[in-house]
Amino acid sequence: MDDILQRILDVQPVLHAAGTLSPAALRALASHAAARRIRHSAETGCGATTLLLSHLSENHTVFALDVGASIAGVRDSPLLRAGAVRFVEGPSQLSLPAFRFEHRIQLALLDGPHAYPFPDLEYYYLYPHLDTGALLVIDDIHIRGIHKLFEFLRADRMFRLEQVVRTTAFFTRTEAPAFNPHGDDWEQQGYNRRTLWRCGWRTHLRAALPRFRREAANRDHRPELASIEEPASGETVSDSGIVSGCATIPANAWLWILAHRRDISGWWPQAEGPVSTVNGHWSATVKYGDPADSGKAFEIAAAVVTQKVNERWQQWVRSVNQTGSYPPVQLPSGRALLSIDRRTVRRL
């Protein structure tokens, strides 16, 4: 391999007109790759790395465009172990989503299109296939869009940063479970554990207030467009029951009834959609948790919300009906919440 690597380094400057890894990064790639058995690997972009990986991997797949004759130059090179390489030509942001991976990957190199968000898309379609102990290489981390990906990976428990050589970063896939590519548990990702203070300082300050002060602040600046009349505050309820009240709903606003256990921060929309009023009155059936919630305090909310919130919660209802999964929602803040009235009851 030392001889092959040196020959690749010799032809690298004239291999094609597109960019490539630095010689130091190529040496590091050879060193890291030699430390593991690579049965299957994938690469976005094409060049000297392709020549090198054709010798280090038993089956190497390249997703690339022939920019600067990069594919042609590699294919014509006597240093290519052609039988080990498969070329998938075309924009990787289109070819990767359409490609079906049949094996786990022990090495992935991202050096395709650099414009945002294309490196992130490449990562998204590759990371679920990375084997434990796989090598993930990110090139050109000095570019701001790619550096964001580098910072994300450095904070994520799925990866361990091994080395940075010039502008190329080398990560090892850890034993941590793969993040669900179809989910949205963003708060479980290390990069997202801390929100940006400069954007959310008002939320942080409000969260520091006692709850009764937050609720008073919310009530102080909102008109009472809807109120709850039944059940009475402190009343004991069964597993479900009718909640009713009065409302005056302006145009382009909707009334939703929600409930939650007081010790749980999220809320669950009731009545399978917005509630209509008849002569200024409304009613809805509310479910108070499961049998395990017996004896718990529940809070009911009559919330008048804007069209955007109404559409989001209607989509939540459709998703519940389709999947049977009902994650909690959060009450909107600011101008999206036009009015709210709350009532606390206790379940039998």
Side-chain angles (χ1 to χ4, degrees):
M1 276 306 306
D2 291 341
D3 178 62
I4 292 172
L5 175 59
Q6 187 56 55
R7 291 166 65 191
I8 292 172
L9 290 171
D10 290 341
V11 302
Q12 179 189 24
V14 295
L15 186 61
H16 57 72
T20 186
L21 267 66
S22 67
L26 276 173
R27 292 189 181 94
L29 175 61
S31 175
H32 285 289
R36 47 181 53 83
R37 180 185 176 187
I38 303 173
R39 295 180 295 276
H40 298 276
S41 57
E43 172 185 18
T44 60
C46 183
T49 53
T50 310
L51 297 179
L52 181 60
L53 290 171
S54 75
H55 294 274
L56 294 169
S57 174
E58 297 172 21
N59 299 277
H60 184 55
T61 304
V62 180
F63 300 87
L65 286 167
D66 197 18
V67 176
S70 58
I71 294 179
V74 167
R75 276 181 164 153
D76 292 340
S77 173
L79 292 173
L80 178 70
R81 193 166 70 95
V85 180
R86 174 183 181 180
F87 292 92
V88 181
E89 295 193 46
S92 61
Q93 56 266 52
L94 297 178
S95 59
L96 265 174
F99 189 81
R100 181 177 179 181
F101 289 91
E102 298 179 349
H103 305 279
R104 304 293 293 174
I105 297 172
Q106 289 76 51
L107 185 150
L109 168 62
L110 303 187
D111 192 21
H114 291 1
Y116 183 84
F118 303 139
D120 290 357
L121 287 173
E122 292 181 340
Y123 168 75
Y124 174 79
Y125 286 107
L126 280 170
Y127 88 81
H129 307 289
L130 291 174
D131 217 353
T132 299
L135 183 67
L136 175 63
V137 186
I138 312 293
D139 192 34
D140 293 320
I141 62 172
H142 63 294
I143 298 174
R144 293 187 66 175
I146 300 175
H147 193 79
K148 283 291 185 183
L149 176 59
F150 167 73
E151 293 288 351
F152 171 84
L153 294 171
R154 192 164 63 169
D156 199 90
R157 59 179 181 171
M158 289 196 302
F159 296 95
R160 180 177 66 252
L161 178 62
E162 300 290 355
Q163 186 181 15
V164 175
V165 180
R166 304 284 180 85
T167 60
T168 305
F170 297 83
F171 292 90
T172 294
R173 176 69 171 89
T174 68
E175 295 181 353
F179 183 78
N180 181 4
H182 305 131
D184 189 26
D185 297 324
W186 59 269
E187 69 280 0
Q188 295 184 11
Q189 295 178 313
Y191 188 72
N192 291 321
R193 284 201 186 100
R194 289 187 176 183
T195 55
L196 294 175
W197 176 262
R198 66 177 180 270
C199 297
W201 62 271
R202 290 183 178 86
T203 301
H204 288 290
L205 289 178
R206 290 183 68 83
L209 290 173
R211 178 173 178 171
F212 77 93
R213 292 191 179 276
R214 296 200 305 269
E215 294 176 353
N218 287 336
R219 289 194 296 269
D220 287 345
H221 72 278
R222 295 189 181 99
E224 189 175 279
L225 300 175
S227 62
I228 301 171
E229 295 183 336
E230 295 291 339
S233 183
E235 187 173 320
T236 300
V237 297
S238 60
D239 60 342
S240 64
I242 299 295
V243 176
S244 60
C246 298
T248 302
I249 311 300
N252 296 321
W254 285 263
L255 171 64
W256 283 77
I257 309 303
L258 306 98
H260 76 154
R261 222 172 73 180
R262 279 186 64 93
D263 58 346
I264 297 176
S265 61
W267 292 77
W268 282 265
Q270 306 292 311
E272 296 191 352
V275 176
S276 301
T277 59
V278 178
N279 297 324
H281 294 271
W282 59 268
S283 65
T285 300
V286 170
K287 184 176 184 297
Y288 301 103
D290 298 315
D293 298 313
S294 178
K296 300 293 185 180
F298 276 79
E299 194 173 21
I300 314 159
V304 181
V305 299
T306 60
Q307 180 176 346
K308 186 175 182 180
V309 177
N310 176 66
E311 292 173 352
R312 186 166 71 241
W313 286 353
Q314 294 228 45
Q315 176 58 42
W316 180 91
V317 172
R318 289 191 290 270
S319 176
V320 167
N321 292 333
Q322 291 171 2
T323 66
S325 175
Y326 42 94
V329 303
Q330 299 298 322
L331 289 177
S333 59
R335 297 179 181 178
L337 183 60
L338 304 178
S339 173
I340 188 168
D341 189 30
R342 306 177 193 235
R343 194 65 61 87
T344 299
V345 294
R346 185 168 296 276
R347 174 176 166 149
L348 282 171

